[in-house]
Amino acid sequence: MIDQQTIEAHGLTADEYQRVLEILGREPNLTELGIFSVMWSEHCSYKSSRLHLRKLPTRGPRVLQGPGENAGAVDIGDGLAAVFKIESHNHPSFIEPYQGAATGVGGIIRDIFTMGARPVALLDSLRFGSLDEPHTRRIAEGVVAGIAGYGNSIGIPTVGGEVAFDESYAGNPLVNVFCLGIAGADALILGRAEGAGNAVYYVGAKTGRDGIHGATMASAEFDEKSEEKRPNVQVGDPFFEKLLLEACLEVMRTDALVGIQDMGAAGLTCSTCEMGARGGSGIEIDVRRVPQRESGMTPYEIMLSESQERMLFIVRPGREAEVERIFEKWDLHAVRIGQVTGDGLLRVRDGGALVAEIPAKALADEAPLYDRPASPPADLPRRQALDPGALEPPPPAEALAALLSSPQIASKRWVYRQYDHMVRTNTVVPAGMGAGVVRVKGTGRALAFAVDGNGRYCYLDPYRGAQLAVAEAARNVACAGAVPIGATNCLNFGNPERPDIMWQLARAIDGIADACRALEIPVTGGNVSLYNETDGEAVHPTPVLGVVGVIEDARRVLGRTFRRAGAAVVLLGDATPELGGSEYLKRVHGLVRGQPPALDLERERALQRLVAGAAADALIESAHDCAEGGLAVTLAECCFQSGGIGVDAAISEPSGGGDRGAAAAALFGESASRVVVSVADGREGDLLARAAEAGVGALPIGRSGGDRYRLAVGGTTMIDAAVAELERVWERGLARYFEDEAA
């Protein structure tokens, strides 16, 4: 008998349980209740977001696979596809930072090779609280070590990403991981169960009790009892996954598979019912045949375990022995645990006993969908109110030093030096030097990819903030010399049952949809992570966008740094200086206020096409987008890691020059759609003519050279400092927190 307390413990509402009764026509047993609870969790069903996600543009001439499969895929030419996705592992990383982050890496890698692609690169997008807090430093150290430990061991380079810090993430860090793989465009494998009688194989690691109800845990807020959820966190083994990856790819080359699915969130439950639903079939399995590493496991535990490094295969008739031989060669388990049926049911047996029988489609596709109440936060007008003229700006050189030492802007070398970002020898742009770029072996092409998001912008205006995330990720890809061709997203928000949080989520999705449509970048999949809050305090709304682009000639790849002295430096794009939501306001004045930067999507698209085209035609030697810290920080970053090349630059007096905040906005405002480029010798006129033709503002602002950083506004030198001294400040900004800890 299922009582009310048991129903609530499984995260189901009274209405949802009533729907379970209607689907089954009877009361569920405990195993069936557990199966419904994980499949109808927010983490697996997207019941609060699915109605809104339908707004996203998902089709395009290059799209080979859109949302609904393990990962998305786009055509990159030469019969090849880029397969990519971003996923979150936020809740587990708060409870157990190392394993939470490590298994997040393992899970996203499996999503990629499940599609028949060889993973070639990783990016991470991380958010932590203030580094002044020892607890934050412990979490950050554990997360970075977990990403490094798994990625390095399996031999997939982590080539870049982003790391941000804000008090809103103190009780709930965000750990989002992006993976990119390469596959034959006509060789993608889908997660479908088809063909009644076809064998169902369990392959990979044995099942244990780790991770049980992990999906349910990821669909609830944290409180003072969060540490008690440690058993819900999975434990990963990257060396085992490396064997699994190679064995799976070898099997895929034989054409022995009908379908394949990773046992990720909700484990065996999710893989069986989703494969059955996609293929319009049923699946019957016997849990006694499932390899187990712990004794006495119940069907409930086996079905809900989220033990890592496991896959489900549907094998073509007569090919079973071939699959078994390949896995035996790799010293891995390949065990037949059931078969495909034609009745559409997920049927679970424990030997001869029937322990669960549920329509697969009801589990995978018919979870309740909620159009939740949504309204803006009551204090939104206060958040957006800002009078820059009322602020007392410090001397510009002092403000620049403060920004360069901010962990938000400072060098992330402390993070990426722990990653092996050169393994497999395909990495073109070293970590920290711009977007991630890898060669596509066997072709002259390269792929560029970036992840970006700004929680402060979305806190102030989720619609515009989400658009800016799309634009910046695509702009970073364009700054590498690539044409953006596809996107994936990870939507990190608080409790959607709160109208203000639901409003943030809905508006952010609207912003992503409109930006991707305007920039002609289809969304091929992604992830929604909700209930990111502790004791009622939500994280800043943080949509993270991953964008992939193609560089036709890998020799034309750009980085952010000046390559030589004497190059003309040009600012592409024109915008009114704005301080709203900037790192300057936060770092120097302690404010998160104002409107995020305005964004004209037509101008943004023209800018990106101009930069990518100029790179392809060798008009420019470097490109760096103006983002956090504004023009002053961007110019400094163009000098850093260049071998000491300085810059002498000047911009005109902004309108309202008498306003004491105007100079600060010109230097440190984060206005969108701007890129600083250095121009190839003798090609400045060509670049300016092309910019004029494209309708993109282009302002020559100075030249690279010397060993000093000079920046003037309206004829007055605002900053004059040695590049080496500024670079030391920048290099120490993040590392000092962890070096002090070690001391």
Side-chain angles (χ1 to χ4, degrees), residues 14 59 83 98 110 214 242 263 289 295 318 338 415 424 462 480 500 522 595 644 675 684 706:
R59 297 181 180 181
V83 179
Y98 184 95
R110 290 195 300 278
K242 172 62 173 174
M263 294 187 209
R289 300 181 186 176
S295 62
V415 176
R424 303 189 66 84
D500 58 325
Q595 292 275 3
V675 173
E684 184 177 351

Side-chain angles (χ1 to χ4, degrees), residues 62-73:
R62 289 182 180 263
V63 175
L64 300 174
Q65 179 59 57
E69 277 290 340
N70 292 293

Side-chain angles (χ1 to χ4, degrees), residues 449-696:
F449 38 97
V451 288
D452 280 289
N454 190 311
R456 282 204 298 268
Y457 288 170
C458 292
Y459 171 77
L460 297 171
D461 184 335
Y463 176 82
R464 191 183 293 181
Q467 288 193 320
L468 288 163
V470 175
E472 185 174 355
R475 196 183 315 129
N476 278 323
V477 165
C479 283
V483 176
I485 59 172
T488 179
N489 60 68
C490 197
L491 308 180
N492 306 275
F493 290 79
N495 183 347
E497 298 167 47
R498 292 169 44 187
D500 58 325
I501 301 295
M502 192 63 232
W503 176 81
Q504 292 174 340
L505 175 62
R507 291 298 290 156
I509 294 172
D510 288 343
I512 294 169
D514 289 347
C516 285
R517 199 168 283 113
L519 298 177
E520 299 179 353
I521 305 173
V523 178
T524 63
N527 174 241
V528 179
S529 175
L530 303 180
Y531 296 94
N532 288 291
E533 55 184 77
T534 299
D535 294 328
E537 293 294 320
V539 301
H540 281 342
T542 311
V544 174
L545 270 293
V547 171
V548 174
V550 174
I551 303 171
E552 291 297 328
D553 185 347
R555 297 171 299 176
R556 301 296 192 207
V557 172
L558 301 178
R560 64 169 168 79
T561 59
F562 296 138
R563 291 187 183 178
R564 61 184 175 89
V569 178
V570 175
L571 174 62
L572 298 176
D574 45 11
T576 302
E578 303 162 271
L579 281 178
S582 65
E583 179 67 11
Y584 169 83
L585 277 185
K586 172 70 172 173
R587 181 73 173 176
V588 176
H589 297 287
L591 296 175
V592 180
R593 299 287 288 273
Q595 292 275 3
L599 179 64
D600 183 320
L601 289 165
E602 289 303 315
R603 288 186 177 184
E604 178 69 41
R605 184 173 63 174
L607 172 68
Q608 291 179 19
R609 291 179 175 179
L610 171 66
V611 173
D617 292 339
L619 294 184
I620 54 179
E621 298 175 335
S622 69
H624 190 25
D625 80 308
C626 287
E628 288 174 312
L631 177 62
V633 166
T634 300
L635 280 170
E637 290 176 338
C638 292
C639 299
F640 298 160
Q641 297 174 299
S642 68
I645 299 173
V647 67
D648 195 339
I651 57 175
S652 60
E653 181 84 15
S655 59
D659 183 338
R660 57 185 175 180
L667 292 169
F668 307 115
E670 297 172 6
S671 301
S673 307
R674 297 183 300 163
V675 173
V676 171
V677 301
S678 61
V679 185
D681 192 25
R683 305 300 300 274
E684 184 177 351
D686 295 339
L687 176 65
L688 296 179
R690 187 174 295 194
E693 184 179 352
V696 175

Side-chain angles (χ1 to χ4, degrees), residues 200-324:
V200 176
Y201 268 78
Y202 173 113
V203 303
K206 293 182 178 180
T207 294
R209 290 188 171 92
D210 55 318
I212 293 174
H213 272 296
T216 308
M217 175 195 71
S219 306
E221 313 103 313
F222 285 144
D223 54 29
E224 69 278 359
K225 297 181 179 179
S226 296
E227 290 297 318
E228 297 174 7
K229 298 179 180 178
R230 192 174 298 272
N232 296 135
V233 179
Q234 310 95 325
V235 178
D237 182 342
F239 302 104
F240 198 104
E241 178 142 326
K242 172 62 173 174
L243 298 177
L244 181 63
L245 184 159
E246 298 299 342
C248 286
L249 292 180
E250 184 172 342
V251 168
M252 290 172 185
R253 290 194 292 269
T254 69
D255 192 37
L257 298 184
V258 174
I260 177 175
Q261 174 107 349
D262 166 40
M263 294 187 209
L268 189 53
T269 287
C270 186
S271 55
T272 49
C273 70
E274 285 191 351
M275 291 186 80
R278 290 194 195 111
S281 302
I283 287 184
E284 180 174 318
I285 62 170
D286 184 348
V287 293
R288 285 198 186 177
R289 300 181 186 176
V290 172
Q292 300 163 44
R293 67 168 184 263
E294 298 184 47
S295 62
M297 291 190 70
T298 66
Y300 179 101
E301 292 172 323
I302 294 169
M303 291 302 294
L304 271 61
S305 168
E306 295 184 10
S307 294
Q308 297 290 285
E309 293 95 32
R310 305 177 302 156
M311 313 286 279
L312 201 69
F313 281 2
I314 309 299
V315 180
R316 298 187 189 280
R319 310 294 292 276
E320 297 87 353
E322 187 177 358
V323 169
E324 291 174 12

